[in-house]
Amino acid sequence: WMSAPKDPKGGNTVQSDHKMVPPDTFVEIFNCNVKSHSESKGKDDDDDTQMRPFITLTYAQSIDGSIAAERGKPLLLSGKESMIMTHRLRALHDGIMIGVGTLIADNPSLTTRLVPGSHPRPIILDTSLRAPISRKIFSRKKGNLPIIVCSDQKKDQEFDHRKKTLEAAGATIIRCKESEDGRIDIHSMLDLLRPFVKSIMIEGGASVIRSFIETAAQKEKCRCAVDQVIITIAPLFVGGLNPCTDQASSLKAEFPRFSKIRYTCVGSDIMLCG
C-alpha cells in the first residue's frame, strides 16, 4: 500500500518487512520518506503520487480501534510522550488537514507547540463552509491562516455570505468538485492544493480518515491518495467510534494492507508506521 521506507543512513530501501526501532529513528525514517517524495517530483510526469503533495494519514486509536467514545465528542487517547512525537511529525509537514466536524467539536490548535519547528498550515474540508471564525486556527499569523476546501456546487446567497466572512477572517477558499456521494473529491482536491503545500498530515475526523483509506481500494494506477500511515495505539478499550466501521462495502474487494512496517514504543503507547 505504502511506498517502502528508506534507511536514513544509507538511503536504500529497508528489506526487513517489520521492525521495531527507537523513537528518533522512527522520525528519521519518516523524514526520509517525505524528502524522497519531494526530490522525485517531476521525474515521472505519469505518476500522480509524485505530482500531488505527500500524504501522511495519522490518528490515535484504542486497542479495539476506537478513535472516540461517540461521534462529535473529543476523547484524548494519546499519552504525553506520543503527543510530543506527533508534534515532531507535524513539524515535518507543510499542511495539516482535518474535517469541519473535528474543527467545530474539538477547536484544535493544530500547532507544533510542544517541540521546536514551524506550524503546518491548517487545511479544513468543509463542503458547505460551516467553519466558525471563532476557532483558534483563525488567530494565526498571516501566511499560516487556514485553507478551506469546499464544494463547487454550492451557489446560494447564504453560502456566498459565509465565503466572504471566512475570506475576511484571512482564510483561503478553494472550491472543489464533489465525488459521487456528495463529499469533496480527494484526488481533485490534492491537485488544487499543489501550489500551496508539498506535504500534508491528515489527522481526522472519522469521515476524512475513511475518505482517504477508501482511495487505497481503488484499483486504477496511482489512485491511492496516501503515501504513509502512522497509527498511535493507546492501551485501553473504548468500544466507540471506529473510522473503518462503515467501509465494509467499499473495501471488501481490496483490503488495504500495511507494508514495510516500523513501530516504536512511546510512553505507554505504540506507534506504527507503514
Side-chain angles (χ1 to χ4, degrees):
W1 185 13
M2 307 301 157
S3 56
K6 303 285 185 175
D7 184 335
K9 296 181 179 179
N12 297 319
T13 300
V14 180
Q15 297 300 315
S16 177
D17 200 41
H18 303 128
K19 187 177 181 181
M20 183 174 182
V21 296
D24 287 345
T25 302
F26 188 89
V27 175
E28 285 183 55
I29 292 172
F30 179 85
N31 192 26
C32 281
N33 287 343
V34 178
K35 288 183 177 179
S36 176
H37 175 86
S38 179
E39 292 169 356
S40 67
K41 280 192 172 185
K43 292 183 179 179
D44 184 356
D45 293 336
D46 294 328
D47 188 347
D48 290 345
T49 63
Q50 292 183 8
M51 298 303 293
R52 61 164 172 74
F54 183 91
I55 301 299
T56 301
L57 177 64
T58 179
Y59 58 93
Q61 66 170 50
S62 61
I63 292 175
D64 60 350
S66 301
I67 63 172
E70 53 185 292
R71 189 178 299 276
K73 294 187 177 181
L75 174 66
L76 183 61
L77 291 167
S78 302
K80 180 180 179 181
E81 296 88 349
S82 56
M83 185 66 71
I84 292 172
M85 174 72 89
T86 296
H87 281 224
R88 291 178 67 182
L89 298 174
R90 282 181 179 180
L92 301 176
H93 293 80
D94 299 326
I96 182 168
M97 180 181 292
I98 60 171
V100 67
T102 299
L103 177 70
I104 293 171
D106 296 5
N107 191 17
S109 299
L110 303 179
T111 65
T112 58
R113 65 188 182 279
L114 300 180
V115 298
S118 300
H119 302 314
R121 188 173 183 181
I123 303 170
I124 312 299
L125 295 192
D126 185 5
T127 306
S128 303
L129 294 184
R130 297 188 295 126
I133 61 173
S134 59
R135 291 304 185 257
K136 296 174 185 176
I137 60 171
F138 287 95
S139 63
R140 292 184 172 218
K141 295 180 180 179
K142 187 176 181 180
N144 200 244
L145 285 162
I147 297 170
I148 300 181
V149 183
C150 65
S151 168
D152 63 1
Q153 301 299 307
K154 310 292 184 181
K155 298 177 181 178
D156 58 87
Q157 188 174 358
E158 183 180 353
F159 180 87
D160 289 340
H161 174 71
R162 291 197 296 268
K163 180 174 179 291
K164 290 177 182 177
T165 300
L166 290 165
E167 288 176 331
T172 298
I173 308 297
I174 296 179
R175 305 194 67 163
C176 179
K177 76 176 185 179
E178 295 181 358
S179 57
E180 293 180 359
D181 58 5
R183 294 181 292 179
I184 298 296
D185 183 82
I186 297 298
H187 299 290
S188 298
M189 174 191 66
L190 294 179
D191 285 341
L192 293 170
L193 288 172
R194 281 164 52 188
F196 299 94
V197 290
K198 294 180 180 179
S199 56
I200 304 173
M201 194 163 176
I202 314 296
E203 289 203 3
S207 61
V208 175
I209 293 169
R210 185 161 56 248
S211 293
F212 276 87
I213 293 177
E214 284 174 353
T215 68
Q218 298 176 6
K219 294 185 177 180
E220 298 91 341
K221 180 186 177 183
C222 300
R223 298 307 288 170
C224 179
V226 181
D227 298 292
Q228 199 156 237
V229 175
I230 295 178
I231 299 177
T232 301
I233 303 173
L236 73 163
F237 293 92
V238 174
L241 178 65
N242 185 310
C244 297
T245 299
D246 300 327
Q247 287 183 294
S249 60
S250 61
L251 296 182
K252 63 183 180 182
E254 189 75 24
F255 296 113
R257 179 183 294 273
F258 267 33
S259 64
K260 304 298 180 183
I261 297 172
R262 298 294 174 269
Y263 59 97
T264 191
C265 294
V266 185
S268 60
D269 301 332
I270 295 174
M271 296 186 78
L272 297 176
C273 175

